[in-house]
Amino acid sequence: MASLPAGASRRLLLSLFLCLPLSAAARAATTRHHEWEISYQLKSPDCVRKLAVTINGQSPGPTIRATQGDTVVIRVNNSLLTENVAIHWHGIRQIGTPWADGTEGVTQCPILPGDTFTYTFAVDRPGTYMYHAHYGMQRSAGLYGMIVVSAAEGGPDAEPFAYDDEHDVLLNDWWHDSTYEQAAGLASVPMRWVEEPQSLLINGRGRFNCSASAAAAAAEGTCNATLAECDAPVFDVVPGKTYRFRIGSLTSLCALNFEIEGHAMTVVEADGHYVKPFVVNNLNIYSGETYSVLIKADQDPNRNYWLASNVVSRKPGTPTGTAILSYAGGRSPPPTTPPAGPAWNDTMYRFRQSEATVAHPAHVEPPPPRANRTILLLNTQNKIDGRVRWALNNVSFKLPHTPYLVAMKRGLLGAFDQRPPPETYEYQSYNIYDPPPNPNATSSDGVYRLQFGSVVDVILQNANMLDANKSETHPWHLHGHDFWVLGYGIGRFDPKVHPATYNLKDPILKNTVAVHPYGWTALRFKADNPGVWAFHCHIEAHFFMGMGIVFEEGIERVAELPGEIMGCGKTKGGRH
């Protein structure tokens, strides 16, 4: 990697230090170095062989482990030969390092084939996070993994719960079509939908039914159910002990329900923030979310138990994903049928679990009592030139060729649309239960420019799709920030009525949140992190089809940019 511009190294180190809590800054912080090679490898995660994007030959990639206050340095070598790469560190706020957010078109140019890029950032909060590709639909091809940050010893962020050991559980969905085939289908007229995934993976392993029929097996290519590569993951426990399960979902499409057969789960963490503990038999988890749950190994130790992942919020077309909880170290499957989970279309069950997730009493960070600005976003499915697109307030998002961070910092005003997107819609008359009366939308790469330090409310309003009687769950992820989840509702949001119902007492802070079918979700955040930040649906196909926006705040406060993030669009030849 070329050196940073003069003075930038000093500013980077200072910014990384200033963003740390005193307890973390006082300890001897560690710099953790990683060397990654991104390459295509033939893999059989569900017993069917296909090309996967790997890190050092692995998919999922290696788990990044660090302690609060550490600096992580990851040197990424792109060996894909014909494909660009960018990696987003999901849940890491990148305070002082917005160019390391890893969002192609927003904070950096992609890493070209054969090139190397080094991400350097601080992990200032403990918790469970993830990383994944943020270029095209590449996440669906296998480039993803977990980030686990331990609390600084003796600091104010120490865990308010106890356990004996822990396990990491990373959930995903998996297709046998390539991401190129999926993207081409989504952009076609008429659209060819990606359809339901073939398998659900737990820690990168699942099981496709190779013997369903000779025709099915032939259609799926090389399928070998005897491969150790697709054996069910096994999680060992010792009777009487308490275990923390760190659970993350990086599905490309599916909302999931996760269950550990016969074991109640106590929810204690969500997206890196401690939760007022509550007990569930199964956990609804949406793409981009992480949770920690505690379980007690208090069941019959003479048998094994299922871990099960099931599709919810859309009619399932994919078998249950499974792993094994083992008391005796054995690998044999449990004697029971894997749990099927709750009814897939029980919206209110999922809604109530969302409402139950509030801040731990000892870790409440009260939100500002009011906002300086409210942005009301109607989420609809529309068409542009016959192509199906998603839109917010009838505007479908498209990424520019020049990253916003570079264009704004360098004054390249012609790099994107200077007109701001609309901040509201005709909420008094719009019927969210009908298909959109105007099926046609426009597209834009304009941004919402926020006053630095201001408090912003965003209301996400879900509605009917192009087909009648159809509304889906959308998990929305905000880069560079955590937001307070002030409330959820079913039906049409009324800005004159519903703000009075907001939870200002103990709202949970998150970076990803679900908007339920025909529902609304209200968020509040402080625009206090200088940079340019994406805010989008975490379903791969939906963001690809325009379901996203971008915020800018305090761009003048961003330090001098490293030349490595340039080289595309209007910055060609600008790497220096």
Side-chain angles (χ1 to χ4, degrees):
M1 173 183 177
S3 60
L4 292 173
S9 296
R10 192 164 54 253
R11 286 192 294 274
L12 172 60
L13 291 174
L14 179 62
S15 65
L16 292 176
F17 180 84
L18 290 177
C19 75
L20 304 179
L22 289 178
S23 59
R27 64 177 277 275
T30 299
T31 300
R32 300 180 182 271
H33 293 272
H34 301 264
E35 185 85 16
W36 286 2
E37 181 182 18
I38 312 299
S39 66
Y40 269 111
Q41 301 289 333
L42 283 168
K43 292 289 182 181
S44 303
D46 68 345
C47 307
V48 175
R49 189 174 65 182
K50 67 166 284 189
L51 280 174
V53 179
T54 67
I55 300 172
N56 298 341
Q58 302 176 42
S59 177
T63 297
I64 298 171
R65 300 189 186 275
T67 299
Q68 181 182 13
D70 288 348
T71 295
V72 177
V73 180
I74 303 172
R75 180 179 164 91
V76 177
N77 304 284
N78 181 8
S79 298
L80 292 182
L81 302 179
T82 60
E83 197 168 336
N84 299 331
V85 168
I87 301 177
H88 170 55
W89 316 98
H90 186 112
I92 307 299
R93 292 176 294 174
Q94 302 295 348
I95 298 172
T97 54
W99 50 79
D101 188 54
T103 314
E104 181 268 333
V106 179
T107 61
Q108 71 169 95
C109 291
I111 310 168
L112 300 177
D115 276 5
T116 298
F117 185 94
T118 301
Y119 292 98
T120 302
F121 53 87
V123 287
D124 64 312
R125 295 169 309 145
T128 308
Y129 309 101
M130 301 177 289
Y131 63 84
H132 58 82
H134 219 295
Y135 176 79
M137 294 178 65
Q138 208 171 61
R139 188 178 90 218
S140 298
L143 204 172
Y144 62 91
M146 293 192 79
I147 304 173
V148 175
V149 182
S150 301
E153 188 173 352
D157 295 322
E159 296 156 351
F161 46 84
Y163 53 96
D164 298 299
D165 205 349
E166 66 181 57
H167 291 293
D168 301 335
V169 180
L170 189 51
L171 307 175
N172 214 334
D173 42 17
W174 191 249
W175 284 259
H176 297 160
D177 283 348
S178 71
T179 56
Y180 289 115
E181 291 171 297
Q182 292 184 7
L186 293 173
S188 298
V189 179
M191 179 186 72
R192 184 172 69 86
W193 178 238
V194 299
E195 302 301 342
E196 303 307 306
Q198 273 70 56
S199 301
L200 297 179
L201 307 184
I202 298 179
N203 287 358
R205 296 185 178 193
R207 185 162 290 271
F208 181 78
N209 187 357
C210 297
S211 59
S213 71
E220 296 302 334
T222 303
C223 188
N224 185 350
T226 66
L227 292 173
E229 186 180 351
C230 55
D231 282 348
V234 177
F235 298 87
D236 291 315
V237 295
V238 174
K241 292 195 173 184
T242 298
Y243 290 84
R244 178 183 189 170
F245 278 75
R246 296 179 183 265
I247 308 162
S249 173
L250 280 175
T251 55
S252 293
L253 174 64
C254 299
L256 298 176
N257 181 272
F258 176 78
E259 183 171 348
I260 302 178
E261 181 190 15
H263 294 73
M265 299 183 287
T266 302
V267 181
V268 294
E269 180 215 351
D271 289 2
H273 292 276
Y274 300 131
V275 169
K276 182 179 180 179
F278 65 99
V279 178
V280 296
N281 291 322
N282 48 67
L283 177 73
N284 299 302
I285 182 167
Y286 306 95
S287 178
E289 288 190 317
T290 64
Y291 288 93
S292 285
V293 301
L294 302 182
I295 74 158
K296 185 75 175 289
D298 57 2
Q299 298 300 300
D300 180 358
N302 297 310
R303 55 156 291 193
N304 291 339
Y305 298 83
W306 292 111
L307 281 73
S309 171
N310 285 287
V311 174
V312 290
S313 191
R314 57 189 308 113
K315 189 173 183 178
T318 310
T320 301
T322 57
I324 296 172
L325 186 76
S326 174
Y327 275 77
R331 281 10 188 191
S332 58
T336 52
T337 301
W344 69 269
N345 55 356
D346 189 347
T347 297
M348 294 312 300
Y349 175 76
R350 300 191 305 277
F351 181 89
R352 287 190 294 270
Q353 200 169 97
S354 293
E355 285 194 314
T357 308
V358 297
H360 189 282
H363 293 270
V364 174
E365 295 183 42
R370 61 190 56 85
N372 304 112
R373 182 175 177 181
T374 298
I375 299 173
L376 182 56
L377 298 174
L378 173 68
N379 192 86
T380 57
Q381 192 180 51
N382 303 81
K383 288 187 177 182
I384 298 178
D385 298 327
R387 290 178 171 82
V388 177
R389 300 283 294 178
W390 286 95
L392 287 310
N393 296 347
N394 219 48
V395 176
S396 185
F397 178 70
K398 62 179 182 180
L399 281 167
H401 294 295
T402 305
Y404 291 107
L405 184 64
V406 180
M408 292 183 183
K409 193 66 181 171
R410 293 199 160 190
L412 303 175
L413 299 182
F416 62 92
D417 193 340
Q418 296 299 301
R419 295 169 296 179
E423 301 204 6
T424 188
Y425 72 103
E426 295 180 357
Y427 58 86
Q428 292 177 320
S429 60
Y430 193 91
N431 186 348
I432 65 168
Y433 294 100
D434 285 344
N438 174 18
N440 297 311
T442 59
S443 63
S444 173
D445 56 11
V447 303
Y448 292 88
R449 308 195 80 149
L450 308 177
Q451 182 179 348
F452 186 75
S454 64
V455 178
V456 181
D457 278 4
V458 178
I459 316 301
L460 295 162
Q461 175 69 68
N462 211 343
N464 201 93
M465 298 166 61
L466 285 171
D467 293 337
N469 303 314
K470 191 173 183 181
S471 183
E472 295 182 344
T473 301
H474 300 287
W476 276 79
H477 171 56
L478 177 59
H479 294 225
H481 304 76
D482 293 324
F483 48 72
W484 289 275
V485 183
L486 300 185
Y488 300 89
I490 298 296
R492 188 178 65 193
F493 178 83
D494 187 337
K496 296 180 180 179
V497 175
H498 291 118
T501 69
Y502 287 170
N503 175 17
L504 301 180
K505 177 186 175 183
D506 59 356
I508 190 67
L509 278 160
K510 293 185 98 269
N511 62 64
T512 305
V513 72
V515 186
H516 295 285
Y518 299 111
W520 56 265
T521 301
L523 320 175
R524 179 169 294 172
F525 69 95
K526 292 181 180 178
D528 58 0
N529 190 6
V532 189
W533 309 105
F535 181 44
H536 62 93
C537 179
H538 213 254
I539 294 174
E540 281 279 70
H542 290 182
F543 185 44
F544 179 83
M545 297 164 69
M547 196 187 299
I549 60 175
V550 166
F551 294 119
E552 176 274 324
E553 62 206 54
I555 193 69
E556 70 283 353
R557 298 168 181 255
V558 174
E560 188 175 352
L561 303 178
E564 291 75 23
I565 68 171
M566 305 176 199
C568 60
K570 292 183 178 294
T571 72
K572 286 182 179 177
R575 295 190 181 200
H576 53 77

